[in-house]
Amino acid sequence: MKQKHFYVVLLLALAMVTIPITYFYISTSTNSQLKNEILLRKIGHDVLLSSNDKTSKVEPIKSISTNKFQIRFENKFAFSPDSLIYIVQNNLSKSTFPKEYSVAVQKNSNDAIVYGFHMDSESNKNVITCIGRKMPLDYYKITITFVPKNDVSSTKYLLFVPTLLIVLIGCWIIFKSRKTTTDVEVKNDESVIIIGQYEFYFKQNLLQLDDKLLSLTPKESKLLYILSSSPNEVIDRTTLQKEIWENEGVIVTRSLDMFISKLRKKLEQDSSIAIVNIHGIGYKLEIKC
């Protein structure tokens, strides 16, 4: 029992640790996603300002996949690659996005890429072209694809999954400890009665066949005890009813038959055992040698 209480306390402790950690990472993830989306919209806003457009709208950010986003615009605009590179770098440096990413500017009409560049966490690996050339007025969309190396969301799941596993393991330990404790108690009980392949623990109202435990009601246990005390001998119905129901004052004739039926089902795994009805007399526990 003390061991069981120990595991319960352990499980509660694990839950107390897991819940705050899970809440922290979920809330952090939500806040980071919101901040990142705002910064993506600001990239679009700054691009329009750099082309002297203070009235056009930046459409809602389109999430193409986990690491790919698209900034779309209401109207035509022209842009300078130099300004675009600075605007993207400046805004993304404040985000939690991966430091390596590619930027592609596409025409809305045919998705043709008219300009692009690649930024790496190591500046010597950056790929930047066509600086100094101004791109003409047209309908454009900007697609940014991030290359995750130490993805924040992945890290959160990697932290969450082990804590969940710890809780599940804790539940499994408690279950196993219960089963082990029961087995030990049964094995140490000296009142075991061997009935064929079964072990019958009268005081504990239990039947055991190999590693399988079957619970008995007190009346089922008492009935089986009486029958097993005189194997292969007929015990009349009156004796059985008196022994089991004498303290209750009222004996229902069919109750004995009902309990016999339940015992038969619990003993059916061993074909060498049978509770036989001797018509008009009573029952006997027949055990074949």
Side-chain angles (χ1 to χ4, degrees), residues 25 47 53 75 112 121-122 124 133 144 151 174 184-185 235 238 240 247 258 260:
Y25 281 115
V47 167
D53 185 345
N75 296 319
S121 55
E122 299 177 27
N124 62 333
R133 299 180 186 177
I144 304 177
D151 186 63
I174 292 175
V184 170
E185 289 175 355
I235 302 175
T238 304
L240 291 172
N247 294 325
M258 179 185 69
I260 290 291

Side-chain angles (χ1 to χ4, degrees), residues 254-268:
R254 299 301 301 173
S255 294
L256 177 60
D257 299 326
M258 179 185 69
F259 281 104
I260 290 291
S261 177
K262 289 182 178 180
L263 280 178
R264 282 173 173 160
K265 289 182 180 179
K266 293 179 179 180
L267 295 169
E268 65 184 2

Side-chain angles (χ1 to χ4, degrees), residues 44-59:
H45 173 73
D46 291 347
V47 167
L48 291 176
L49 289 180
S50 70
S51 65
N52 297 316
D53 185 345
K54 298 180 180 179
T55 58
S56 295
K57 296 179 182 179
V58 177
E59 295 183 0

Side-chain angles (χ1 to χ4, degrees), residues 12 21 32 34 43 63 84 100 124 134 152 174 188 226 243 255 266:
L12 290 174
I21 290 175
S32 296
L34 179 60
I43 289 174
S63 177
L84 177 63
E100 183 178 358
N124 62 333
K134 188 170 183 178
V152 176
I174 292 175
N188 291 338
I226 296 170
E243 289 290 335
S255 294
K266 293 179 179 180

Side-chain angles (χ1 to χ4, degrees), residues 254-288:
R254 299 301 301 173
S255 294
L256 177 60
D257 299 326
M258 179 185 69
F259 281 104
I260 290 291
S261 177
K262 289 182 178 180
L263 280 178
R264 282 173 173 160
K265 289 182 180 179
K266 293 179 179 180
L267 295 169
E268 65 184 2
Q269 297 300 316
D270 186 352
S271 59
S272 67
I273 301 171
I275 299 178
V276 181
N277 178 23
I278 308 301
H279 185 69
I281 302 176
Y283 293 95
K284 72 173 179 178
L285 178 62
E286 190 176 87
I287 303 176
K288 299 175 184 178

